[in-house]
Amino acid sequence: NNSYPGGSSLEFDYYGGYNGKFNDDFGWTVGGHGYAYPGANFNKASLCGTVNGVTTTCGDSSFNSFEWNAGLSYKFVSVKYSRMLTNWFGVSQDMRLNGLPLFNSDSKGSSYLEANVAYEFLPTWTLNLHAAHTNVTTSTTAAFGTAGLDPSYNDYLIGVSKTFDGGWTGSLAWVKASYKNDNYWKPTYSFANTDSLSDPGSGRLILSVGRTF
């Protein structure tokens, strides 16, 4: 996983919560969501240690994160707010290069506000729409390469899904993100274990198939 150096390319999500209804049309949800990246740490980035005779020391910063969330729904429309109880995927003043922090502050309290539509326009066929904003509560220092970069971004989805007999579901969706500061998400160098860089927010189609038991 190029985004999380030292990891085994695995992300484990764990979550729980409560859902209920005010009436047949209005509903609510509250819960928590955790993200774990076994073995991953900023100090295992490819530029850390001695590379081509140059030694770079890196701070110890795990990417593991946890957030709480709450949401409301009306028929096929829903909104949800999530807020980080930990740092946002390791972004903090513990991320250091040669003793210098890459960020101006920790990122606890970063948030995610999303709106979703799941409209069944034909039997077994559902239109899926999603728009969201991630607000990250810190910005980069000059040690990052450029000072004042805000990692905040928006993400979008439009797609369609269909249910089949036997619990199967298929979906096709187009997804894209837009950044507050392009240079944060599309740098000229990588902190990960490879030198391969790409634009994580570029538009792309995602085909998925799943089954519930």
Side-chain angles (χ1 to χ4, degrees), residues 86-109:
T86 64
N87 286 316
W88 182 74
F89 302 102
V91 170
S92 69
Q93 289 193 311
D94 291 331
M95 276 190 170
R96 294 173 177 263
L97 289 180
N98 295 325
L100 299 176
L102 297 176
F103 295 91
N104 287 304
S105 64
D106 290 346
S107 60
K108 292 178 181 178

Side-chain angles (χ1 to χ4, degrees), residues 39-197:
N41 195 293
F42 176 67
N43 61 20
K44 296 179 181 178
S46 59
L47 53 72
C48 303
T50 302
V51 180
N52 296 327
V54 177
T55 300
T56 302
T57 60
C58 296
D60 180 357
S61 184
S62 168
F63 301 104
N64 297 340
S65 305
F66 188 85
E67 65 188 14
W68 66 265
N69 57 68
L72 295 171
S73 62
Y74 174 71
K75 294 185 177 180
F76 54 83
V77 178
S78 64
V79 294
K80 187 165 71 172
Y81 176 79
S82 303
R83 189 175 181 89
M84 281 288 174
L85 298 178
T86 64
N87 286 316
W88 182 74
F89 302 102
V91 170
S92 69
Q93 289 193 311
D94 291 331
M95 276 190 170
R96 294 173 177 263
L97 289 180
N98 295 325
L100 299 176
L102 297 176
F103 295 91
N104 287 304
S105 64
D106 290 346
S107 60
K108 292 178 181 178
S110 295
S111 60
Y112 186 68
L113 179 62
E114 61 181 298
N116 300 284
V117 172
Y119 176 64
E120 188 176 26
F121 59 94
L122 290 172
T124 73
W125 288 89
T126 300
L127 172 67
N128 302 297
L129 303 174
H130 165 88
H133 175 68
T134 296
N135 179 56
V136 183
T137 58
T138 190
S139 59
T140 61
T141 68
F144 185 86
T146 303
L149 298 180
D150 186 340
S152 301
Y153 65 94
N154 301 317
D155 67 271
Y156 313 94
L157 175 150
I158 180 170
V160 64
S161 59
K162 178 175 171 53
T163 58
F164 300 90
D165 293 340
W168 289 94
T169 301
S171 67
L172 180 67
W174 180 83
V175 298
K176 182 175 173 54
S178 61
Y179 316 120
K180 187 166 185 179
N181 292 125
D182 283 0
N183 288 341
Y184 177 86
W185 290 101
K186 295 185 286 187
T188 57
Y189 56 90
S190 172
F191 289 145
N193 285 332
T194 75
D195 293 325
S196 175
L197 295 172

Side-chain angles (χ1 to χ4, degrees), residues 13-35:
D13 291 4
Y14 55 97
Y15 49 88
Y18 294 94
N19 301 295
K21 287 187 175 183
F22 299 110
N23 55 42
D24 289 342
D25 292 332
F26 286 95
W28 58 269
T29 182
V30 293
H33 195 153
Y35 309 82

